[in-house]
Amino acid sequence: QVQLVESGGGLVQAGGSLRLSCAASGRIDSSYAMGWFRQAPGKEREFVTAINWSADNTYYTDSVKGRFTISRDNAKNTVYLQMNSLKPEDTAVYYCAAWRKDIYTVDYWGQGTQVTVSP
């Protein structure tokens, strides 16, 4: 059984930065990609970013390109999301995820961490 635990959310002013962490317990091996999704109030959950096991491929939704950076430390079973130049529209609950196949068939979800960006 795999558990994903996020941390690092909080309240920040527009233009500020936050770093989210996702610690995985259990067996996350090289068959898993990992990433982050987010869900804003009244909206559906959306894909934000993903990284493969070897960290040589990363993907970002257009709205965060150039501002967010995903990374992973496999020795620590941890994925990070560095968020810079935050905007009020980035306000959402951010979820860590792990999957073997694709982003439409996520195998494991974290419980979510709230990120609030004030104007």
Side-chain angles (χ1 to χ4, degrees):
Q1 185 68 19
V2 173
Q3 284 190 319
L4 304 178
V5 179
E6 302 100 332
S7 60
L11 173 64
V12 65
Q13 287 188 330
S17 298
L18 281 174
R19 188 192 196 206
L20 305 184
S21 298
C22 171
S25 62
R27 184 172 174 78
I28 293 288
D29 58 27
S30 59
S31 64
Y32 286 93
M34 295 188 71
W36 296 87
F37 291 70
R38 66 185 180 186
Q39 187 167 18
K43 295 187 177 181
E44 293 188 354
R45 190 175 298 187
E46 65 171 353
F47 168 79
V48 177
T49 180
I51 188 167
N52 65 343
W53 172 264
S54 56
D56 55 0
N57 281 306
T58 57
Y59 308 88
Y60 299 92
T61 192
D62 286 346
S63 62
V64 308
K65 285 180 180 177
R67 300 188 298 120
F68 290 13
T69 303
I70 189 171
S71 60
R72 68 190 294 174
D73 184 338
N74 292 329
K76 296 182 178 180
N77 272 351
T78 301
V79 174
Y80 305 97
L81 181 60
Q82 179 66 43
M83 305 185 293
N84 298 329
S85 302
L86 282 161
K87 303 175 181 180
E89 50 263 44
D90 295 317
T91 294
V93 177
Y94 283 71
Y95 296 91
C96 179
W99 61 89
R100 283 179 167 166
K101 184 178 179 183
D102 55 44
I103 63 172
Y104 305 103
T105 53
V106 171
D107 295 291
Y108 301 104
W109 291 99
Q111 83 286 353
T113 186
Q114 177 70 46
V115 171
T116 303
V117 184
S118 62

